[in-house]
Amino acid sequence: LKYCLMALLSFSLCLMANLGITLLPTAATATVAPPTQTIAANPLEEAQQLYEAGQYAAAVTVLEQAMEAAQASGDLRLQVLALRNLALVHQRLGQWEQANQAIATSLSLIDRLNDKERLATQASVLDVQGGLQMEQGRMREAIATWETAEAIYRQIGAPEK
C-alpha cells in the first residue's frame, strides 16, 4: 500500500509538471527562502513566492484577496485555483479544518468551469485533496482521490514521464 501510494503521488506530480500545472510546495518539499524583490505577475505567483519565503500569513492574505477579486470579476478558474492554493497553505500550517473547507469549496465550483478548463483544474485540485487526506491519515481516501486524478490526466492526454 505504501509503495502504491508513493507511485500514484509521483505519477500525478509528473503529469502535473508536464501539463504546466503548478502547486505550492507541500510541507515535505517546502524551503524557506529570503523574500523576493521581484513583483509577481499575478496573485497566485505572488502567493507562491510568499509561501516559499515562509511568509504564510501574507500568502493567505494574497490568496484571499485573489479569491475575492476573482469572485467579483467572475473569474471562476482563478477563484478555484486560489482556493486550491489556500488549502495548501493551511495544510502547511496544520490548519486542517480551513484546508479541508478551502478544497471542498474549490471542488464545488469546478463543475461551473468550461470543459476545456475543468478537467485539468479538477485533476490538480484532486491532487491537493489527496495530499490533505494523506496528511490526515486517511490513506484509502487519498489513494482513491489520486486514482481519480490520474484517470482525468489520462483522459485529457497528459503525457507520461
Side-chain angles (χ1 to χ4, degrees):
L1 179 64
K2 179 179 171 182
Y3 296 108
C4 179
L5 177 62
M6 295 303 288
L8 280 172
L9 177 59
S10 296
F11 178 74
S12 295
L13 292 175
C14 289
L15 288 176
M16 288 174 55
N18 283 334
L19 285 175
I21 298 170
T22 60
L23 298 175
L24 293 171
T26 63
T29 62
T31 58
V32 177
T36 180
Q37 297 299 320
T38 60
I39 297 173
N42 70 52
L44 296 180
E45 289 177 9
E46 181 181 356
Q48 183 161 352
Q49 290 173 358
L50 291 166
Y51 181 95
E52 290 171 354
Q55 298 176 12
Y56 307 119
V60 167
T61 300
V62 168
L63 289 168
E64 287 174 343
Q65 290 171 349
M67 200 173 52
E68 290 169 10
Q71 202 169 21
S73 69
D75 188 343
L76 193 58
R77 185 170 187 272
L78 177 58
Q79 189 177 353
V80 168
L81 295 175
L83 282 162
R84 177 200 68 189
N85 289 357
L86 188 60
L88 286 166
V89 177
H90 286 304
Q91 176 184 356
R92 176 68 172 105
L93 294 170
Q95 298 170 339
W96 303 114
E97 187 175 324
Q98 294 95 322
N100 288 326
Q101 181 60 47
I103 209 72
T105 303
S106 182
L107 285 167
S108 74
L109 297 172
I110 286 177
D111 286 336
R112 294 175 31 204
L113 291 172
N114 69 47
D115 286 342
K116 183 179 179 184
E117 297 176 318
R118 183 177 53 82
L119 291 175
T121 304
Q122 181 179 17
S124 74
V125 172
L126 288 171
D127 273 329
V128 171
Q129 183 182 40
L132 286 171
Q133 292 164 333
M134 182 186 75
E135 289 282 328
Q136 295 173 75
R138 297 167 24 212
M139 298 303 223
R140 289 183 192 270
E141 289 176 65
I143 290 170
T145 300
W146 282 324
E147 287 174 341
T148 302
E150 178 186 9
I152 293 170
Y153 285 130
R154 286 184 185 189
Q155 180 182 348
I156 62 176
E160 293 186 37
K161 269 196 168 182

